[in-house]
Amino acid sequence: MSPSERGVRLLAFAASLRADSWNRRLIALAASAAGAGAEVELVEFHAFDVPLFDGDLLSASGIPAGAQEFARLISAADGMLVASPEYNFSLPGTLKNLIDWVSRARPVPLRGKTAMLLSASTGQVGGIRGLWQLRIPLEGLGMIVSPDMYTLPWADKAFADDGTLKEPERQTRLEGMVAGFVTLTGKLSSRALES
Ligand code: FNR
C-alpha cells in the first residue's frame, strides 16, 4: 500500500546519546509537528547501539542487533526525520558507523525512503556543515533527501520551558518545513527507486 493510500509513516531519532541533548529536543519538536500529517515513531539513538564496524565481525556474526532494529524500523516507514549534531564540521562517527552497518543489509533498507535532516548546535552556524556531509552516504544508499534542511544555532539558548522554540519565526519555519516534508513523502512511493 502506498503512503497516499494509508497515510505517511516516519521514523524519527536524534543522533546523540547525551542525556541533555539539544538534538533530542529538536527531534521531539519535529516529530510533534509531523504528527499533524503522519504517523511518527520517535526512538532513542540507544536503540541502534552497534559495535565499531568490523568486516570480520560481519562475516562471523552478521549484522548486529542495533543495525537490524534500524533496518526494521526504516523498512516499515516511508521516510525518516533525523536530528544530528555536527562534530568537527561533519557528522558524528556514531551515526556514520550505524549507516555503514545498515548498508550491509540486503535489500538496502534505506533505498527509496525519504529523509529530512535537522541539526541543533551550540555554535552560530547551526550544524549545516555536518548535514551536507550526512547527505552523502544517505544519498549514496538511495535515500531521497529533502533539499530543505533545518538548522538551529545557539541551541542552548533556543528552547522555552515548554519545549518549543523561543523565537516564533524559528518555530514556524520548523513546522512549515516538516509539513512540506510530510507532503513530499506522501507523494513519493517508497518503491520509487526499487530496481
Ligand atoms: C562539537 N560541537 C560542534 N558544534 C558545531 O557547531 N560545529 C562543530 O564542528 C562542532 N564540533 C563538535 C565536536 C565534538 C566532538 C563535540 C562533542 C561537540 C558542539 C555541539 O554543537 C554541541 O556539543 C551540541 O550540544 C551537540 O549536540 P547534542 O548532544 O546536544 O544533541
Side-chain angles (χ1 to χ4, degrees):
M1 213 187 289
S2 73
S4 57
E5 289 164 322
R6 54 141 166 80
V8 170
R9 291 185 192 143
L10 297 176
L11 167 66
F13 66 97
S16 173
L17 299 169
R18 213 167 65 83
D20 292 327
S21 162
W22 302 114
N23 282 282
R24 186 184 290 110
R25 293 197 196 196
L26 181 58
I27 201 66
L29 269 188
S32 160
E39 196 182 311
V40 185
E41 179 125 33
L42 178 59
V43 298
E44 285 293 315
F45 199 42
H46 268 301
F48 308 141
D49 279 354
V50 281
L52 289 174
F53 184 83
D54 177 344
D56 291 338
L57 191 58
L58 177 66
S59 301
S61 331
I63 295 169
Q68 285 191 30
E69 176 66 356
F70 185 93
R72 186 183 70 80
L73 289 172
I74 192 63
S75 296
D78 304 302
M80 70 179 187
L81 296 161
V82 52
S84 173
E86 175 178 286
Y87 285 173
N88 300 311
F89 290 34
S90 189
L91 69 154
T94 45
L95 180 55
K96 179 62 163 56
N97 187 50
L98 174 66
I99 293 168
D100 290 341
W101 275 116
V102 173
S103 74
R104 299 301 89 193
R106 292 293 178 273
V108 177
L110 299 168
R111 189 166 174 80
K113 309 292 181 180
T114 61
M116 178 178 163
L117 312 185
L118 306 93
S119 182
S121 148
T122 52
Q124 64 178 336
V125 179
I128 192 68
R129 296 165 297 202
L131 296 188
W132 278 115
Q133 304 236 353
L134 174 55
R135 296 185 75 93
I136 294 171
L138 297 182
E139 290 185 335
L141 291 168
M143 287 202 106
I144 305 159
V145 183
S146 171
D148 290 332
M149 299 185 280
Y150 186 88
T151 55
L152 182 66
W154 311 125
D156 48 336
K157 299 175 188 67
F159 290 90
D161 290 342
D162 66 359
T164 60
L165 296 172
K166 283 184 194 161
E167 290 183 39
E169 317 80 63
R170 289 198 192 280
Q171 177 74 31
T172 305
R173 188 160 175 272
L174 174 66
E175 289 169 6
M177 207 179 269
V178 168
F181 175 67
V182 171
T183 302
L184 173 85
T185 302
K187 287 182 175 168
L188 292 169
S189 162
S190 61
R191 296 178 185 277
L193 290 185
E194 256 178 28
S195 51

